[in-house]
Amino acid sequence: MASFVFRRLIAAVIVLLAATFLMYMLVALSGDPLKELRESSAPNKLELMASLSQRLNLDVPPFFRYFLWLGGVGQCFVGACDFGVNVQGLPVVVLLQQAMGSTLQLVTGAQIIAIIVGLIVGITTALRQYSGYDYTITFASFLFFSLPIFWVAVLLKQYIAIGFNNWLADPLIGIPVMIGMSIVSGLLWMSLLGGAARRRWITLGVATASTLALLAYFEMSDWFTTPSVGIVGVSVTAIAAALGVTAVSVGLKDKNALRGALTTAALGIALYYPMTYFVFRSMSLPLFFALALGAVVAGGAIGYFLGGRDRWQSARTSAIVAVIIGAVIAIDGHLLYWNDYINSSRVNGRPVATIGSVTPNLGGNFWIQGIDTFTHLLLPTIAIILISFASLTRYTRASMLEVMNQDYIRTARSKGLTQRTVVVRHALRNALIPIATVIALDIGALIGGAVITESVFGWSGMGRLFQNGIDHVDPNPVMAFFVVTGLLAVIFNLLADLLYASLDPRIRVS
């Protein structure tokens, strides 16, 4: 393993050196950084040109200038990175640190959600091949895959931001809309669950009635004005998570795992009021992460001690349940301060932001700042998710269909194994091997594509840094962006190779 990693790292260094040299030369030879100063009428034009030439080493040929830049980057190995300065004389390493935090905040959440949703939808469409659900998802996937992200962003601004903000002034759903949404929900669940004709009609009726009842409750309680999950919502979610995660992870016949999951759910419900009225009032970011870690540890410990012979499977199941319950309680904590946020003078009743990453001079506690971050992340995150979701869904579906037709799957079924065991333990693991490659490539491409997303939504991240460098023919910011994206591509491809061996023991990294 160590020799494999070492060989891959040596190859990656060679590739990065060649790529950075080519990129540096292309940027340096693409224009004249002094063009604006040459055309200006400033009385001290010559002094400004001399100063800029000295800062960017423009008196050195681009070929040798690259090695000066490379020498500064090489200092990262001793903890003193030097990416040079930009045309304004600001250290690029400082600008890069600020931009990386903003871009990673945008991309990380979007990519995690896209991976989870894409895998789930891809797997379910493969299991429900040629159903109405499969055709609908296939149509939506091809549609989102073919749409340019800047056009998707404009539509999101118009209908999710402007339209939704206008609707919040008088949030009425209306009976026709409730009926239409309920029927669509019923058809979706009917197609997803499938089964015999009687089961499908029962699913349609139950899902339609449930959705209609939920929307009617939102309408009558004026939920969109004062939103809240509440103890009822947390309880329902906790029990549903315990049953659902156990069913997928180990099966409901595993009573020990089910007992651990339900115990975790009961503990989460019992902690709702103490968390809401005591802990949440003094919440901070370190405390939030400590509580999140504590939820995972507590859920895992409960599952482990109640798990019987399969302790680790039970621990994993209970830990996932604890994460879901903790997330729902955290969402409720944010919703408690929704009215304070939406009625603040800086927001003025229009919470969904169309530009920027924060509301200037907003202030407020941890929860208000969290809501503000969410409302600014919402539109760019949805835009990125839609594009990534489309490709991941198609790749996952194709991989699952190929695996489900293999001889060992037919053998597993002939031995009398349940559908859950065949899919989760036999098919899914092998189907994830090509998906690991797609995800690794998608992460690097996603950060590179953030240039367009950040430009549309006015997000000050690595895309803005790259664009400014291109506009001013300044190689240093461009190279900083290129090095980060290149390193991420190399790292995630290496992780994908190592994941192959973990998913399939027949694969050896040697």
Side-chain angles (χ1 to χ4, degrees):
M1 179 71 73
S3 62
F4 168 77
V5 173
F6 181 75
R7 291 196 307 270
R8 287 298 304 268
L9 291 177
I10 293 298
V13 169
I14 296 174
V15 171
L16 284 176
L17 286 174
T20 53
F21 175 77
L22 180 61
M23 177 60 71
Y24 193 97
M25 297 300 293
L26 289 173
V27 177
L29 298 175
S30 63
D32 182 11
L34 300 175
K35 181 179 179 181
E36 293 183 6
L37 291 176
R38 295 184 197 279
E39 297 175 352
S40 70
S41 58
N44 59 339
K45 178 171 66 173
L46 296 178
E47 289 80 358
L48 294 174
M49 292 174 60
S51 176
L52 181 58
S53 297
Q54 183 180 7
R55 286 200 302 270
L56 301 183
N57 296 317
L58 296 180
D59 54 336
V60 180
F63 179 84
F64 298 103
R65 202 188 313 159
Y66 165 77
F67 292 97
L68 293 176
W69 172 85
L70 187 62
V73 175
Q75 296 181 29
C76 293
F77 293 102
V78 295
C81 289
D82 182 13
F83 283 89
V85 297
N86 65 353
V87 292
Q88 287 81 25
L90 300 175
V92 173
V93 67
V94 176
L95 300 176
L96 179 62
Q97 291 172 352
Q98 299 171 350
M100 280 183 61
S102 181
T103 296
L104 291 178
Q105 182 187 39
L106 170 63
V107 171
T108 302
Q111 187 66 13
I112 291 174
I113 296 173
I115 291 173
I116 295 174
V117 176
L119 289 176
I120 293 174
V121 174
I123 293 169
T124 53
T125 52
L127 299 177
R128 302 290 305 144
Q129 186 182 17
Y130 303 136
S131 65
Y133 170 74
D134 183 26
Y135 287 126
T136 302
I137 296 298
T138 299
F139 171 78
S141 299
F142 281 119
L143 177 64
F144 292 137
F145 189 78
S146 61
L147 293 177
I149 192 167
F150 60 85
W151 192 70
V152 173
V154 171
L155 293 180
L156 291 175
K157 283 187 174 185
Q158 177 63 39
Y159 295 105
I160 302 297
I162 298 175
F164 183 74
N165 286 335
N166 292 337
W167 178 77
L168 280 180
D170 186 20
L172 297 177
I173 302 177
I175 294 178
V177 176
M178 287 194 292
I179 294 176
M181 294 178 64
S182 300
I183 294 175
V184 170
S185 174
L187 292 174
L188 178 63
W189 282 104
M190 180 184 71
S191 180
L192 175 61
L193 297 180
R198 183 172 180 272
R199 177 183 173 182
R200 292 166 64 89
W201 284 109
I202 292 175
T203 302
L204 174 64
V206 172
T208 301
S210 300
T211 305
L212 185 61
L214 183 63
L215 293 176
Y217 167 76
F218 286 160
E219 182 84 5
M220 292 184 294
S221 64
D222 200 17
W223 189 88
F224 291 100
T225 302
T226 56
S228 174
V229 177
I231 185 63
V232 175
V234 171
S235 301
V236 172
T237 304
I239 297 173
L243 296 175
V245 173
T246 303
V248 174
S249 179
V250 295
L252 293 176
K253 293 183 179 180
D254 190 332
K255 302 302 181 183
N256 293 323
L258 180 60
R259 187 184 303 113
L262 290 174
T263 303
T264 303
L267 179 61
I269 296 170
L271 290 175
Y272 172 76
Y273 284 116
M275 295 290 293
T276 301
Y277 292 104
F278 297 102
V279 180
F280 282 0
R281 296 184 184 276
S282 57
M283 183 62 68
S284 62
L285 188 60
L287 178 59
F288 183 82
F289 283 116
L291 290 172
L293 180 61
V296 175
V297 173
I302 292 173
Y304 181 83
F305 288 112
L306 298 178
R309 289 180 299 177
D310 298 327
R311 293 182 182 274
W312 289 109
Q313 290 187 3
S314 179
R316 177 193 62 197
T317 302
S318 297
I320 296 174
V321 173
V323 169
I324 295 174
I325 298 171
V328 174
I329 295 177
I331 291 172
D332 189 65
H334 285 89
L335 292 178
L336 291 175
Y337 292 89
W338 174 257
N339 282 332
D340 294 337
Y341 174 77
I342 197 174
N343 294 322
S344 63
S345 59
R346 292 291 177 180
V347 177
N348 197 25
R350 304 188 68 82
V352 182
T354 59
I355 192 169
S357 57
V358 294
T359 300
N361 303 319
L362 176 64
N365 59 13
F366 171 84
W367 302 109
I368 292 179
Q369 290 295 325
I371 296 173
D372 186 61
T373 300
F374 170 78
T375 56
H376 283 82
L377 281 171
L378 182 62
L379 296 188
T381 298
I382 292 176
I384 294 174
I385 287 174
L386 290 178
I387 305 303
S388 299
F389 158 83
S391 60
L392 281 173
T393 299
R394 303 310 302 160
Y395 282 119
T396 303
R397 179 183 182 274
S399 182
M400 278 294 294
L401 287 176
E402 181 180 0
V403 170
M404 293 296 289
N405 291 322
Q406 297 295 320
D407 291 337
Y408 67 88
I409 297 295
R410 285 192 287 269
T411 302
R413 283 175 170 163
S414 66
K415 290 164 62 177
L417 297 179
T418 63
Q419 177 74 349
R420 186 204 65 81
T421 303
V422 171
V423 173
V424 176
R425 294 193 177 184
H426 292 268
L428 180 58
R429 187 165 182 170
N430 289 309
L432 287 177
I433 294 176
I435 304 302
T437 304
V438 174
I439 293 174
L441 296 175
D442 196 37
I443 290 175
L446 192 61
I447 295 179
V451 176
I452 300 175
T453 308
E454 292 179 2
S455 298
V456 174
F457 290 104
W459 198 271
S460 298
M462 291 177 61
R464 178 71 62 84
L465 184 70
F466 175 84
Q467 187 64 47
N468 289 338
I470 292 293
D471 292 340
H472 295 93
V473 197
D474 185 0
N476 291 337
V478 176
M479 295 307 299
F481 172 86
F482 188 76
V483 167
V484 172
T485 54
L487 283 174
L488 288 175
V490 168
I491 291 172
F492 279 98
N493 274 280
L494 177 60
L495 292 177
D497 287 339
L498 299 178
L499 187 61
Y500 297 156
S502 175
L503 292 172
D504 191 346
R506 295 172 299 176
I507 298 175
R508 293 291 177 265
V509 294
S510 60

